[in-house]
Amino acid sequence: MSITSSATLATLDRTGPRRITDLAATEGVTQPAMTVLVRVMEESGLVERRGDPSDKRVTLVWLTEAGAAYVKARREAGVQGFAGLIEQLTADEIEALAAALPALRRLAELEDQDREGRKQ
């Protein structure tokens, strides 16, 4: 699976159903490219398109159970990978890493804000 596909699934998991145009802006691709990507993921059973309950003219992309399971498995694999690496650090290195967590969280927040700003 491509990085953009994985990122799109993670975005849908984090933010809920979105318009294709919003997904394209968030992921930094063109609307036609996102349309193709969504079609491929839809054929794979990872997403589905549904009408927006608040505006029947709008179609939203929804994460399916299979898509959510994929995102969860990827996250768990990442956590396990990092856990294995952290076990190899010294106590001082682990302490330094723990001290950096607030700054890393802030960077993640800023990155989310930047991605949301790009979609507008």
Side-chain angles (χ1 to χ4, degrees):
M1 178 171 296
S2 73
I3 292 172
T4 305
S5 296
S6 292
T8 300
L9 292 174
T11 295
L12 290 170
D13 186 61
R14 189 177 62 255
T15 65
R18 305 281 291 265
R19 294 177 182 210
I20 286 179
T21 53
D22 290 345
L23 287 171
T26 299
E27 303 308 331
V29 300
T30 65
Q31 185 272 330
M34 183 56 69
T35 299
V36 170
L37 185 68
V38 166
R39 185 175 342 113
V40 169
M41 291 190 300
E42 192 173 28
E43 290 168 358
S44 299
L46 300 172
V47 300
E48 63 186 10
R49 297 178 210 216
R50 296 187 206 163
D52 184 340
S54 64
D55 185 346
K56 298 298 181 193
R57 300 168 296 173
V58 174
T59 299
L60 298 174
V61 179
W62 293 69
L63 195 61
T64 63
E65 286 185 30
Y70 175 83
V71 171
K72 181 179 178 186
R74 293 277 305 200
R75 283 190 181 134
E76 288 174 0
V79 167
Q80 293 303 318
F82 273 111
L85 293 172
I86 290 170
E87 289 175 359
Q88 298 176 46
L89 297 177
T90 66
D92 286 344
E93 291 169 331
I94 291 172
E95 187 176 318
L97 183 60
L101 286 176
L104 293 171
R105 283 189 193 105
R106 181 66 179 132
L107 283 174
E109 290 170 6
L110 291 170
E111 195 267 340
D112 281 346
Q113 290 171 6
D114 182 57
R115 291 180 83 174
E116 287 299 312
R118 278 187 271 150
K119 78 169 191 163
Q120 296 174 356

